[in-house]
Amino acid sequence: MTKNSTSKNNARRWGAGILAAGLLLGGTGIFPSGTTEAAAAAAQTKADTSQVVLKVNGKITSQTGLFKEGKVWVPVTFMRDSLGMPLSYDKAEKAYTIGTGTAQTKLTTTDYGITISVNNYYIGDYEAKQWNNKLFVPMDLLNDYLGYKSDWSAASGRLNLMKRTQNAVTIKTASYVKDHKDAPIRLDYPQVSGLASPEAEKAINDAIKQTVLKFAADAEDQITKRAKDDRPYEFDGGYVVTYNQNGVLSLITNQYEYTGGAHGMTYRNAFTFSLKDGKRLLLGDLFGANPNYKKQMNAEITKEFKNFSGGYLGGFTGLNTEKYFYLRDGKVVLFFQLYDYTVYAAGFPEFNFSFKELLPDGSSPFTALK
């Protein structure tokens, strides 16, 4: 089971980090003692770290990555120079932005490290690191969110990256914005175009938009009831695309609200659509070839909750909805809302299942959709 941090204050109010343009790409050190992993990195032995040969479409590039902390890391300069991602620096925000569209990625220093957001969606599972005065991101970030397929060979120390073949669909960001005094609302959400079926396109866009507008209506209602001496309120939301292949689009949306108290509250939705007809897919639509898929999921989730040391509150007796999931390459990720079964600090508990472990040999979750 993985845990997504929900500290929205940490994610949005990206601290007073010190980040000077150009220095993270190579040059002199930038962080004062204690704010990076510099001391730990200096003490790490050679056995803990090795260089990684970086390839693009099978061709070796001039830059190298690192195998460190049990992960493969690639430098931001490789993403710029070898993958052709535009790179910019915002002095006021003290952040680098790399890439375009819904895969645009921002790297910002905080009191907790160097955070990563994709399309303004905070990726709590991943963090950037600075070593040898260069900025690195984990290989999984490119594989899971930025549209690349990674082929890592530990034996040869080589990583080959290839652009994924994506669905022929255009995804753009729409926004609901109201600048209420001391209670701003900004909700970003995706809208699709370019599908062969206008009916499918409308069905997808309406399903997402209606969810966002419902949250907006609730926010507007809370604002009308806000007392003048209350703390400022805040409402915002974003999304990230997790899968866009095989005629299927899968994405996550988050809506956050702060209306006083010790912390705000984040609500997560996920949508997986068939681009052929616009149908919102449920788990049974994808894994129905296994009549015991739900029993199998419930058994594994129950097992992991029992071994969960991060604040399990109890009460899980089985899935009560088939909507709280999203797809990644070769797997489905189930999640629960904050406080459903775990304490707030545990974030959104997630459970990963590979397609192979849920389906009969040789079958695909997308076969019935064609």
Side-chain angles (χ1 to χ4, degrees):
M1 179 168 67
T2 60
K3 297 179 291 180
N4 263 345
S5 171
T6 60
S7 181
K8 187 68 176 183
N9 290 342
N10 295 347
R12 285 190 79 301
R13 299 173 182 87
W14 282 332
I18 302 170
L19 202 155
L23 294 179
L24 282 183
L25 303 181
T28 59
I30 65 167
F31 292 107
S33 176
T35 61
T36 71
E37 314 243 342
Q44 201 168 30
T45 65
K46 291 183 178 179
D48 297 321
T49 304
S50 59
Q51 286 196 332
V52 172
V53 175
L54 296 177
K55 305 196 299 185
V56 178
N57 297 323
K59 296 182 179 179
I60 295 176
T61 69
S62 60
Q63 297 198 52
T64 56
L66 290 176
F67 183 82
K68 195 178 182 77
E69 299 179 350
K71 298 179 182 179
V72 178
W73 302 80
V74 299
V76 170
T77 49
F78 166 79
M79 298 166 68
R80 178 194 63 189
D81 299 338
S82 298
L83 300 181
M85 296 183 180
L87 176 67
S88 63
Y89 175 75
D90 187 312
K91 184 177 181 181
E93 203 170 5
K94 299 183 178 69
Y96 282 98
T97 299
I98 187 162
T100 59
T102 57
Q104 188 176 76
T105 303
K106 185 177 290 184
L107 310 174
T108 310
T109 56
T110 76
D111 296 334
Y112 307 92
I114 306 173
T115 64
I116 298 176
S117 63
V118 177
N119 192 39
N120 287 327
Y121 182 100
Y122 174 57
I123 307 295
D125 291 341
Y126 301 136
E127 182 182 15
K129 298 288 185 74
Q130 185 212 9
W131 290 300
N132 300 323
N133 301 315
K134 294 187 73 174
L135 184 62
F136 292 81
V137 298
M139 170 193 71
D140 289 344
L141 176 71
L142 284 83
N143 188 80
D144 292 345
Y145 296 105
L146 304 189
Y148 284 88
K149 182 178 178 63
S150 57
D151 181 13
W152 160 240
S153 170
S156 65
R158 298 190 173 197
L159 172 66
N160 184 35
L161 288 168
M162 300 155 283
K163 195 74 174 175
R164 289 189 184 277
T165 300
Q166 306 263 23
N167 295 313
V169 57
T170 299
I171 306 169
K172 292 187 177 180
T173 299
S175 301
Y176 178 97
V177 180
K178 292 290 182 68
D179 291 324
H180 298 293
K181 182 180 179 182
D182 293 329
I185 304 175
R186 182 181 182 92
L187 307 174
D188 292 340
Y189 58 95
Q191 295 285 266
V192 304
S193 61
L195 297 185
S197 169
E199 293 78 14
E201 193 171 291
K202 184 178 186 302
I204 292 170
N205 288 336
D206 286 351
I208 298 171
K209 187 175 182 179
Q210 287 169 10
T211 298
V212 173
L213 292 184
K214 183 180 184 302
F215 180 84
D218 291 341
E220 298 281 6
D221 182 60
Q222 292 186 72
I223 291 171
T224 63
K225 299 174 181 177
R226 176 179 175 271
K228 291 184 179 180
D229 58 349
D230 280 354
R231 292 180 181 179
Y233 285 6
E234 183 179 0
F235 304 88
D236 65 16
Y239 71 95
V240 66
V241 175
T242 62
Y243 192 85
N244 186 19
Q245 302 176 74
N246 295 303
V248 171
L249 176 67
S250 190
L251 56 94
I252 312 168
T253 68
N254 271 2
Q255 286 83 44
Y256 166 81
E257 65 179 25
Y258 177 78
T259 57
H263 56 72
M265 187 67 178
T266 302
Y267 305 92
R268 172 181 288 184
N269 285 287
F271 299 88
T272 298
F273 295 105
S274 165
L275 297 182
K276 179 181 179 180
D277 55 15
K279 178 182 178 181
R280 182 176 182 179
L281 302 173
L282 303 180
L283 290 170
D285 297 315
L286 297 167
F287 303 104
N290 173 7
N292 296 314
Y293 76 90
K294 188 177 289 189
K295 181 178 179 181
Q296 187 175 339
M297 288 177 167
N298 286 335
E300 182 61 28
I301 292 170
T302 298
K303 176 183 175 182
E304 292 196 34
F305 266 144
K306 287 182 177 179
N307 295 325
F308 183 50
S309 60
Y312 175 49
L313 300 174
F316 178 75
T317 58
L319 295 172
N320 55 18
T321 177
E322 292 205 357
K323 291 184 178 180
Y324 290 161
F325 76 92
Y326 60 93
L327 301 182
R328 282 182 174 169
D329 186 40
K331 63 183 177 181
V332 58
V333 183
L334 276 64
F335 65 89
F336 298 98
Q337 299 295 333
L338 305 182
Y339 291 123
D340 273 357
Y341 304 109
T342 54
V343 298
Y344 177 86
F348 294 94
E350 294 189 336
F351 302 84
N352 294 268
F353 296 87
S354 70
F355 296 164
K356 290 182 179 180
E357 67 182 297
L358 290 175
L359 292 172
D361 289 345
S363 60
S364 162
F366 313 117
T367 301
L369 306 178
K370 297 178 179 179

